[in-house]
């Protein structure tokens, strides 16, 4: 997967910008608030996913303008493609090779990319919910069936929690707990099984990537927080374990009126040299961990789809020493990269590729 050119008009602070990309590393540098992240965001939107900044469509249109337009010329293994998205106050128009699509979701699977931005440091710094979201989002992108099962699990969880809150109203409601426990255990088993298989791949790839980033001086590991986190365990055995666990905590759940066990409470354990990255790693190490996870995600997409995703790395160089920066600039050579940075001296260490200075939403 390679981006040939990018065209942007009236998008955030960018009035009119276009450039041809290098098939290796593309560095976009400049001071803060000049439009670096806006370029990466515009490219990311062609994956069919929502903005990684949580923005609404109306926020993409430059102040005082009536519309915003972004266009991406790219190629996959089989053909060249052109996609464009036009945002206006009343509607959003999406086209691929001149054919209008119903929505941006129809772009999913046509252009692959992974994004790293400072918000992804939450994978390391924040609580378990951020890591569960990362895992579930990654799985939903490559396994549509996982999204459906996860939704079923969440609905069953809501129903069980509602039942726990209403049990005091009638003793007859207790009979329904067995039914909801069974449903919850069945959906849990599939969720956990898919998470385990994904983490097995992610662990292999991200460990190798982190080793390169740290110049082989640190050992990175990622694993599921479950005692039964054994990749060889069957879905049937996971179901029986979950059912047994729900029965064990039933009294506690009735008292607290909430479900205390299940995939919604699980976590991913991320360690450096055997100790928690969240508790003991430096800022640079934590950033390296998050980057290794995102690039590991990219490797999995390639394995599953056969397409090499474009890597979009926003403000990735901050808090990294020169050796780690050199790895990012010159040793991610198996895919196209777009990265942003503020320090122009970092660009001087780029051995190949292209660099672009941006100022006031314009490339210089």
């Amino acid at each position: 997967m390679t981006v040939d050119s990018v065209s942007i008009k009236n998008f955030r602070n960018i009035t009119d910008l276009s450039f041809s990309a290098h098939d290796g590393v593309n560095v976009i540098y400049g001071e803060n608030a000049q439009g670096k992240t806006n370029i990466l965001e515009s490219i990311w939107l062609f994956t069919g996913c929502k903005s990684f900044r949580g923005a609404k469509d109306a926020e993409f249109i430059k102040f005082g303008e009536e519309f915003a337009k972004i266009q991406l010329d790219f190629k996959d293994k089989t053909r060249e493609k052109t996609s464009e998205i036009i945002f206006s106050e009343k509607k959003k128009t999406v086209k691929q090779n001149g054919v209008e699509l119903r929505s941006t979701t129809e772009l999913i699977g046509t252009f692959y990319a992974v994004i790293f931005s400072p918000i992804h440091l939450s994978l390391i710094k924040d609580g378990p919910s951020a890591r569960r979201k990362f895992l579930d989002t990654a799985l939903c992108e490559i396994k549509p069936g996982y999204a459906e099962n996860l939704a079923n699990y969440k609905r069953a969880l809501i129903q069980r929690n509602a039942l726990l809150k209403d049990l005091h109203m009638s003793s007859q409601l207790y009979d329904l707990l067995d039914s909801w426990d069974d449903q919850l255990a069945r959906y849990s088993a599939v969720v956990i099984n898919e998470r385990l298989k994904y983490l097995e791949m992610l662990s292999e790839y991200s460990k190798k990537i982190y080793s390169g980033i740290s110049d082989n001086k640190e050992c990175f590991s990622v694993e599921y927080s479950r005692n039964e986190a054994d990749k060889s365990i069957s879905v049937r055995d996971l179901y029986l374990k979950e059912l047994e666990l729900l029965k064990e905590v039933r009294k506690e759940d009735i008292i607290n009126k909430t479900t205390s066990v299940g995939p919604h409470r699980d976590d991913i354990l991320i360690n450096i040299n055997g100790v928690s990255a969240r508790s003991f790693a430096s800022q640079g190490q934590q950033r390296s961990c998050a980057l290794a996870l995102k690039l590991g995600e990219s490797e999995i997409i390639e394995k599953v789809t056969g397409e090499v995703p474009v890597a979009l790395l926003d403000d990735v160089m901050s808090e990294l020493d020169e050796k780690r920066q050199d790895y990012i600039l010159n040793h991610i050579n198996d895919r196209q990269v777009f990265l942003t940075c503020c320090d122009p001296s970092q660009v001087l260490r780029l051995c190949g590729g292209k660099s672009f200075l941006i100022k006031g939403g314009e490339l210089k």
Side-chain angles (χ1 to χ4, degrees):
M1 190 71 62
T2 307
V3 172
D4 292 323
S5 63
V6 181
S7 298
I8 304 171
K9 187 174 183 64
N10 299 334
F11 185 85
R12 292 199 182 265
N13 76 324
I14 297 172
T15 301
D16 196 356
L17 177 154
S18 61
F19 66 95
S20 297
H22 191 275
D23 59 5
V25 178
N26 298 268
V27 179
I28 303 164
Y29 69 100
E31 296 179 358
N32 289 327
Q34 302 305 304
K36 301 187 298 293
T37 302
N38 297 341
I39 293 176
L40 297 195
E41 183 179 34
S42 71
I43 298 173
W44 171 255
L45 291 174
F46 288 100
T47 64
C49 300
K50 295 181 180 179
S51 166
F52 60 87
R53 302 157 94 179
K56 298 179 180 179
D57 289 351
E59 297 175 49
F60 297 139
I61 304 174
K62 186 177 182 182
F63 183 76
E65 301 293 341
E66 296 182 352
F67 73 96
K69 178 182 177 180
I70 54 177
Q71 179 175 310
L72 194 71
D73 296 318
F74 63 99
K75 54 179 174 283
D76 57 22
K77 284 186 174 181
T78 60
R79 59 181 295 195
E80 296 181 350
K81 299 179 181 179
T82 297
S83 294
E84 66 176 45
I85 307 174
I86 301 174
F87 304 92
S88 66
E89 294 183 3
K90 295 184 178 180
K91 64 175 294 188
K92 177 169 57 178
T93 303
V94 185
K95 292 182 180 180
Q96 177 133 90
N97 294 334
V99 178
E100 187 167 343
L101 308 179
R102 287 173 295 182
S103 70
T104 50
T105 57
E106 291 194 18
L107 292 173
I108 294 175
T110 63
F111 176 72
Y112 292 102
V114 292
I115 179 73
F116 169 89
S117 80
I119 62 173
H120 291 112
L121 293 175
S122 63
L123 289 174
I124 315 301
K125 295 183 176 183
D126 290 0
S129 62
R131 290 179 285 280
R132 288 194 299 267
K133 182 178 179 181
F134 161 71
L135 195 56
D136 290 336
T137 301
L139 273 163
C140 287
E141 288 179 3
I142 62 174
K143 290 201 168 188
Y146 180 83
E148 181 180 357
N149 190 84
L150 183 64
N152 288 335
Y153 172 78
K154 290 179 178 180
R155 280 193 290 268
L157 178 64
I158 291 171
Q159 292 293 335
R160 187 178 190 269
N161 285 340
L163 181 60
L164 290 170
K165 290 180 173 66
D166 293 341
L167 284 176
H168 68 281
M169 298 171 60
S170 172
S171 60
Q172 294 180 345
L173 293 176
Y174 281 82
D175 296 335
L176 297 175
L177 263 180
D178 285 338
S179 175
W180 283 115
D181 282 3
D182 184 77
Q183 285 197 43
L184 202 60
R186 290 185 185 279
Y187 295 133
S188 294
V190 177
V191 169
I192 295 168
N193 180 258
E194 293 293 349
R195 285 180 176 180
L196 289 174
K197 289 190 292 185
Y198 186 88
L199 275 177
E200 182 185 4
M201 291 190 290
L202 185 64
S203 176
E204 176 186 351
Y205 292 132
S206 57
K207 182 177 182 179
K208 182 179 178 180
I209 292 165
Y210 189 92
S211 180
I213 295 173
S214 67
D215 197 25
N216 298 310
K217 293 178 180 177
E218 297 166 0
C219 182
F220 175 86
S221 66
V222 54
E223 59 187 66
Y224 206 49
S225 61
R226 289 256 168 168
N227 290 331
E228 63 266 31
D230 180 355
K231 62 179 180 296
S232 63
I233 194 170
S234 68
V235 174
R236 171 69 178 174
D237 287 341
L238 280 169
Y239 157 69
L240 294 174
K241 282 179 175 289
E242 287 301 292
L243 194 58
E244 180 182 359
L245 193 56
L246 285 166
K247 289 179 179 178
E248 288 177 2
V249 299
R250 178 175 288 188
K251 288 184 179 179
E252 178 185 340
D253 287 355
I254 290 173
I255 292 171
N256 294 324
K257 296 180 173 55
T258 190
T259 303
S260 59
V261 296
H264 65 291
R265 292 294 184 94
D266 292 344
D267 197 1
I268 304 171
L269 306 179
I270 302 169
N271 296 325
I272 299 176
N273 297 333
V275 298
S276 169
R278 182 187 182 194
S279 301
F280 300 104
S282 68
Q283 296 289 331
Q285 286 175 320
Q286 289 183 341
R287 188 174 289 261
S288 299
C289 286
L291 178 60
L293 290 173
K294 296 300 293 183
L295 291 178
E297 177 188 354
S298 175
E299 296 276 4
I300 294 173
I301 292 174
E302 179 182 354
K303 181 176 181 178
V304 172
T305 68
E307 292 288 348
V308 181
V310 175
L312 307 174
L313 311 178
D314 187 31
D315 192 25
V316 70
M317 310 284 272
S318 300
E319 300 169 334
L320 299 182
D321 58 38
E322 285 193 8
K323 285 190 175 181
R324 293 175 193 251
Q325 291 178 357
D326 179 70
Y327 176 87
I328 294 167
L329 284 169
N330 299 310
H331 295 281
I332 305 177
N333 49 22
D334 58 347
R335 65 198 61 239
Q336 189 180 41
V337 178
F338 293 82
L339 69 85
T340 69
C341 65
C342 295
D343 187 354
S345 67
Q346 295 171 347
V347 181
L348 298 176
R349 300 202 301 277
L350 180 66
C351 296
K354 268 185 176 182
S355 60
F356 305 88
L357 170 63
I358 187 167
K359 188 174 182 180
E362 297 180 358
L363 294 180
K364 302 296 183 180

